[in-house]
Amino acid sequence: MSDGTPDWRLDGFLDRADLWIERECPSSGLRVVVLDWVMTRYDDPYRGVYREPTLPNLWYGPVPGTDVDGTVVVCSYWIEEAARTVHCCDISTLDRAPGPAPNW
């Protein structure tokens, strides 16, 4: 049973979220969805994301619930297992390319 202490330490997520908000001006609803998702990284930073095969500690993926009007919010971060730390690289809104969906 958990004592309420987060399993992982998050680094840079709020700074990157602030930059994403400043750069892209997402709706308040979309901001809430993304920030709620960031909080899930405390418990399991591997859930719903994919490892970059050429960079073993780099993980990335779409934020669930942000696929709107042909765009999706994505996040990338480094997981440092020994230190139980997750370092955010970026949060961005990407256009969905026409054609087959990415393998997410």
Side-chain angles (χ1 to χ4, degrees), residues 55-59 76-80 85-89:
L55 300 167
N57 297 328
L58 181 63
W59 293 76
S76 61
Y77 49 80
W78 295 92
I79 296 177
E80 197 176 322
T85 302
V86 184
H87 302 278
C88 187
C89 298

Side-chain angles (χ1 to χ4, degrees), residues 2 7 10-11 19 22 32 35-36 39-40 45 47 50 66-67 69 77 83 86 101 104:
S2 174
D7 293 333
L10 303 185
D11 178 55
L19 289 171
E22 183 179 313
V32 168
L35 292 174
D36 283 348
M39 300 306 287
T40 68
R47 185 176 57 221
Y50 304 90
T66 64
D67 195 341
D69 296 329
Y77 49 80
V86 184
W104 293 345

Side-chain angles (χ1 to χ4, degrees), residues 4-56:
T5 304
D7 293 333
W8 294 85
R9 186 173 76 80
L10 303 185
D11 178 55
F13 280 86
L14 293 181
D15 292 337
R16 297 309 182 279
D18 286 344
L19 289 171
W20 167 68
I21 290 166
E22 183 179 313
R23 181 178 63 236
E24 301 181 23
C25 301
S27 70
S28 59
L30 196 55
R31 293 176 198 192
V32 168
V33 170
V34 170
L35 292 174
D36 283 348
W37 176 85
V38 165
M39 300 306 287
T40 68
R41 304 299 90 187
Y42 278 115
D43 296 325
D44 184 359
Y46 300 102
R47 185 176 57 221
V49 293
Y50 304 90
R51 185 178 67 81
E52 170 54 44
T54 61
L55 300 167

Side-chain angles (χ1 to χ4, degrees), residues 17 34 49 71 73 91:
V34 170
V49 293
T71 65
V73 178
I91 298 172

